[in-house]
Amino acid sequence: MTFPTLADLVAPVEVSQFFAAVQGRTHQRFPGRAGRFADLLPWSEVNRVLRQYPLEHPRLRLAQGGEIVPAHTYTDVVESRQPPSRLVPAAFAEKMRGGATLVMDSVHELFDRVGELTSALEHELRERVRANLYAGWGKTHGFDVHWDDHDVLIVQVSGRKRWRLHGATRVAPLRRDVELPTPPTSEPLDDFVLEDGDVLYVPRGHWHDVSALGEESLHLTIGFNRATGVDLVAWLADRLRADEAFRVDLPRFAPEAEQRAHTELLKARVAELMDADVVGRFLADRDAQAPALPHVGLPWTATSDLLPPGDDAEVRVLTPRAVLTPGAETVALEAAGKRLVFAAAALPVLEVLVGGTRHAVGSLVAAGAPALDRATVRALLAELVTRGVVGPA
């Protein structure tokens, strides 16, 4: 199957327009065809995960009327197993019939198709992406009016749900902030039903509440934290550890004039780092340090071949935000905290590789021709497999 791209999710708005006029500014609903996400998260897959994975609270939880349902009312304890609790199907189903909302966190780690989607979105959004699942049939709300400390894309997989959007009461609030946003007191700015196939974008800090309609609803909340100035300052603080002036003790008991001189020294060293390119350097390093996806790639990665034979075999990029820096005679690939340097002839292959999340080996061989032959391209890919940058799909 093909997986939705960011362009698919925000259509008919162009991605460039989404970044320029929507992201971080306002909520927006993107209507879509009913059933278009049915293969992304089928109910059969939800049932399989509930059956096979002993997910502990709070990763799996039920919510109703703004409160968390006590886990012991629908799970029991198995002392010989770790984690020790498991769902009691009858009690769990009774809670769902009574109006509870099922919440499952980090489902991109549990459902392959959702994982493919979040990987592709991380490549496009250039931020770490995660997905939670919400399902219910009741008439009450799972959570009271609230705001999130991250941007979200809501993908309505099945059924429908009522959303009320109140906007922000504090500009760009943070998880660790000096003050909390005050709850909204006026009527919502927008009140609508999100239908099967629709997508909704809600920026960080925008208050909202969601209500069930007494019918089926299954949606994914895809969340991502965009980099802020606070993140940049924290990154600078780590860079400053290399400077002796910042490692030495502050002159607590020195005369005032000496303390001021030390202050001026620190200001000058910070100013050297805060050049016109500091934002670009920070974002590039943030991408280069982003962790790789936890993909093992058996059986091939346990063999000396590392990759399946044939040009039809696919590799997947495990570092969706890899950074490529061409030079005169070499090209550097920075990903998952590693810096790998190759001959400049590898550039066409690496450009194709970092331009997407899945590739047929044949397409990479074609990109390397005529400078690189098939054996050399496969050797390059094998090296990237050993470094955890790519893996057999």
Side-chain angles (χ1 to χ4, degrees), residues 85-259:
S85 66
R86 65 181 179 187
L87 289 179
V88 178
F92 177 77
E94 181 182 6
K95 296 295 183 185
M96 298 296 291
R97 287 195 302 272
T101 295
L102 167 65
V103 185
M104 295 172 61
D105 289 346
S106 299
V107 294
H108 54 285
E109 300 173 349
L110 303 173
F111 301 94
D112 287 344
R113 295 169 184 174
V114 178
E116 294 281 0
L117 172 60
T118 56
S119 175
L121 290 177
E122 181 171 341
H123 174 73
E124 296 182 276
L125 294 167
R126 313 306 292 181
E127 299 293 355
R128 190 70 181 271
V129 178
R130 55 205 179 277
N132 295 344
L133 174 156
Y134 295 80
W137 286 261
K139 295 183 179 179
T140 63
H141 61 284
F143 301 94
D144 292 331
V145 60
H146 65 282
W147 60 276
D148 295 314
D149 65 352
H150 50 273
D151 290 17
V152 294
L153 284 164
I154 309 300
V155 176
Q156 189 69 34
V157 176
S158 178
R160 57 189 194 138
K161 218 164 192 181
R162 180 187 180 190
W163 284 75
R164 300 199 306 168
L165 281 297
H166 300 264
T169 57
R170 174 174 170 78
V171 176
L174 301 172
R175 177 188 293 272
R176 295 174 55 209
D177 210 335
V178 294
E179 74 178 72
L180 294 175
T182 57
T185 56
S186 58
E187 291 298 307
L189 302 175
D190 208 350
D191 186 338
F192 57 87
V193 173
L194 200 66
E195 304 278 355
D196 181 337
D198 290 354
V199 174
L200 171 66
Y201 168 73
V202 182
R204 165 167 56 105
H206 283 228
W207 293 85
H208 55 277
D209 64 277
V210 190
S211 300
L213 299 172
E215 57 189 76
E216 172 188 322
S217 175
L218 173 63
H219 78 258
L220 289 170
T221 295
I222 298 172
F224 53 99
N225 287 95
R226 295 188 294 137
T228 68
V230 172
D231 297 317
L232 187 149
V233 171
W235 175 78
L236 280 178
D238 285 337
R239 307 282 83 71
L240 290 168
R241 296 177 193 276
D243 191 327
E244 179 182 328
F246 281 86
R247 295 199 311 273
V248 300
D249 301 337
L250 295 174
R252 178 186 291 273
F253 301 110
E256 183 177 344
E258 186 176 334
Q259 289 186 350

Side-chain angles (χ1 to χ4, degrees), residues 108-109 118-119 122-123 126-130 284-295 316-323 334-338 387-390:
H108 54 285
E109 300 173 349
T118 56
S119 175
E122 181 171 341
H123 174 73
R126 313 306 292 181
E127 299 293 355
R128 190 70 181 271
V129 178
R130 55 205 179 277
D285 190 63
R286 181 178 170 92
D287 286 345
Q289 298 299 323
L293 303 175
H295 177 76
R316 61 176 301 177
V317 180
L318 307 182
T319 52
R321 292 153 59 189
V323 177
E334 295 178 90
K338 305 180 182 72
R387 299 304 186 102
V389 176
V390 302

